[in-house]
Amino acid sequence: MSYRGIACNVELRIQGRARQPFGGFSITESLLDGTRLSLWLDEEEGHGIRLGDPVSLAISSEDDHGEREELLCWCSALTVADTMGRLRVQVEAADPLSLCSMESQFRSYAGKRPLLQLATDVLSLHPGSLDRFAAAGGSPTIQMEWLLQCDEAGAAFLRRVAASAGLVIFWNGSLLDCGSIGNPPGASSPVKLQAGKNLEHLACHRRPDLATGRVSWTDPETRATHSLPFSGRMPQGSNARPGLNARAVTIGRPSAATVAGADLGLPAGDWISASTACAGLRLGSKVEIPDGGQFVVSAIEHIFDSHDR
């Protein structure tokens, strides 16, 4: 097995039993959409797998000093297909936050407790009990007295609550974790992406400025209706507070920059996409593009091939 031409060892286990994937597989990680795994098995290897079964991957490079990375997900979809006269099984697996993004709920929860404790309660209701599920140790306390999940999926509810406290909640390989938005998990010294070295492809994307909108709600005691403007950005200024009390703010944007060698003058936009041979990037890692400033990795796709191309 190889990852971007680097030979590696892969140990796949489903239901605790070792399995041999057919061909390659891919892992997609996202701070917004969770972690998903997709792979194919021969019919014999795929026999007996059920929805909800734990799917674990252990990945390490073939040299003696390679780090070992582990991923734990749960089977979320199964597909049986006939490929040139042979039956094969596609296994799709997802982390608890992804599984908790499929169904809207109306629920209330007590506040004044750690974020990950709240998350464990939410996930215990949907998707329910998951074999080997675990959360990281300590986490910041949510300061609100009570919390309402109002016609939204559990994952969206948890991300909204976390964002109101300046936090981000995510699946960290094999356990639920959280980090500060200002200091994302995995952020350290920026990884420099350079053409001809570790950068294969780079694209800069832009989107239109968000128009100022309004958010409205009803006071649960007085039944009075309130409305506040918002701009889709974090509040700024001494009077701004997280949540519904945030004042209207202006949209700030970094100064435009051009990427190296871009004679077309392509400006660095709100986000970038890149193909890189840097296998050590993780969610929250900081990357630096030539003459284009620093960005934080919010989504990443790992593609493993069954052989070197």
Side-chain angles (χ1 to χ4, degrees), residues 268-286:
D270 292 317
W271 76 94
I272 63 170
S273 59
S275 296
T276 173
C278 184
L281 291 178
R282 294 293 179 268
L283 291 181
S285 295
K286 292 181 181 178

Side-chain angles (χ1 to χ4, degrees), residues 25-98:
F25 59 90
S26 65
I27 302 169
T28 302
E29 300 176 88
S30 171
L31 290 176
L32 293 178
D33 301 319
T35 300
R36 296 181 181 273
L37 165 68
S38 178
L39 56 89
W40 286 88
L41 301 171
D42 282 326
E43 181 185 9
E44 297 79 8
E45 293 285 344
H47 180 71
I49 299 176
R50 299 170 299 177
L51 295 178
D53 285 343
V55 179
S56 63
L57 271 175
I59 305 167
S60 60
S61 60
E62 291 189 351
D63 60 60
D64 295 334
H65 306 288
E67 293 185 1
R68 181 183 174 92
E69 299 286 343
E70 295 187 358
L71 173 67
L72 174 63
C73 292
W74 287 264
C75 182
S76 58
L78 291 168
T79 302
V80 179
D82 187 326
T83 305
M84 299 180 66
R86 295 198 60 179
L87 290 180
R88 293 196 170 94
V89 180
Q90 182 185 28
V91 179
E92 297 177 65
D95 71 358
L97 289 172
S98 296

Side-chain angles (χ1 to χ4, degrees), residues 95 97 113 120 169 173 238 249 260 290 292 308:
D95 71 358
L97 289 172
R113 55 179 173 154
T120 300
I169 188 168
S238 59
V249 296
D308 291 346

Side-chain angles (χ1 to χ4, degrees), residues 148 150 160 213-220 223-230 243-246:
L148 180 63
C150 186
R160 175 173 62 81
R214 303 190 71 84
V215 60
S216 302
W217 74 101
T218 301
D219 188 288
R223 311 306 299 172
T225 300
H226 302 273
S227 178
L228 283 176
F230 71 95
L244 296 177
N245 291 325

Side-chain angles (χ1 to χ4, degrees), residues 5-35:
I6 302 172
C8 60
N9 296 314
V10 174
E11 181 183 346
L12 169 67
R13 288 186 174 274
I14 304 177
Q15 299 172 320
R17 171 188 154 193
R19 316 266 180 162
Q20 181 62 42
F22 173 80
F25 59 90
S26 65
I27 302 169
T28 302
E29 300 176 88
S30 171
L31 290 176
L32 293 178
D33 301 319
T35 300

